[in-house]
Amino acid sequence: AGLLVSVPGPTLAQQYQITGTNQTCTNDIALTGGINGLVDSATATVTNNSGASITGADPAGGFGIRATQDVRLTNFGTVSATGNQSNGVQAAHDAIVVNSGSITADGGIAGAIGIGINATNNAIVTNSGTISGSSLQLGIGVVGFQNVNLTNSGTISAGSGIGGQSETILAGVNASVTNSGTIASAGG
């Protein structure tokens, strides 16, 4: 008789749920959860693969990915949010993002705010894709209310309507930017 030996393989990341705590998963589908594409009550560690999307949409404001602590995102696909006060990525602490896909927030023609990446503490971003925030009143590409550490070879943009304000990169304390791509702001 033969001997069967089972060798465990690597632990595979699980598909995301729309809500959870300390999720570490890979997304390969179109994940839409209403106001939140994905919300985590602690730290969300997300790999969003090419062809996949995470979308939050609500008239009052949508969130692509939202976490009460950190967002750690590696994005090859699309993360988006629409609505009056929308955020593509919102972290109540740090947003650590490597993006070669698209991260967008569109507050709309009557919207108050559209922010691509919003971190209450630090935004640490490496971008070779597209990050944008737009709205009638205030559009922001990347904001860190403490610090922004940004390496960009892609496109980061912010736009607002007439009389509005657009800030491509906004840091409360310090912004460190290495740029070989496009950083552009329009409107106001």
Side-chain angles (χ1 to χ4, degrees):
L3 177 64
L4 179 62
V5 177
S6 176
V7 178
T11 303
L12 300 177
Q14 299 299 307
Q15 185 69 46
Y16 267 101
Q17 301 299 313
I18 293 171
T19 61
T21 303
N22 288 321
Q23 298 184 72
T24 300
C25 300
T26 300
N27 184 47
D28 293 305
I29 63 171
L31 184 61
T32 303
I35 189 171
N36 298 298
L38 183 145
V39 64
D40 196 289
S41 61
T43 295
T45 303
V46 181
T47 300
N48 191 45
N49 285 326
S50 179
S53 62
I54 300 172
T55 304
D58 187 83
F63 301 87
I65 300 172
R66 185 180 200 184
T68 61
Q69 291 179 11
D70 296 340
V71 172
R72 296 181 178 133
L73 170 64
T74 302
N75 183 48
F76 303 101
T78 301
V79 176
S80 63
T82 60
N84 186 41
Q85 296 184 21
S86 60
N87 289 262
V89 172
Q90 184 185 48
H93 194 251
D94 293 339
I96 303 162
V97 178
V98 177
N99 178 55
S100 61
S102 174
I103 299 171
T104 61
D106 184 358
I109 60 170
I113 300 170
I115 302 173
I117 297 173
N118 181 356
T120 302
N121 197 35
N122 299 307
I124 303 162
V125 180
T126 302
N127 180 54
S128 61
T130 301
I131 299 170
S132 67
S134 63
S135 185
L136 177 66
Q137 295 178 21
L138 176 61
I140 301 174
V142 177
V143 61
F145 285 94
Q146 288 296 310
N147 302 300
V148 173
N149 186 334
L150 172 68
T151 302
N152 180 55
S153 61
T155 300
I156 300 175
S157 63
S160 67
I162 295 171
Q165 181 179 354
S166 58
E167 301 284 346
T168 311
I169 300 163
L170 183 60
V173 177
N174 184 49
S176 173
V177 178
T178 302
N179 181 47
S180 61
T182 300
I183 297 175
S185 180

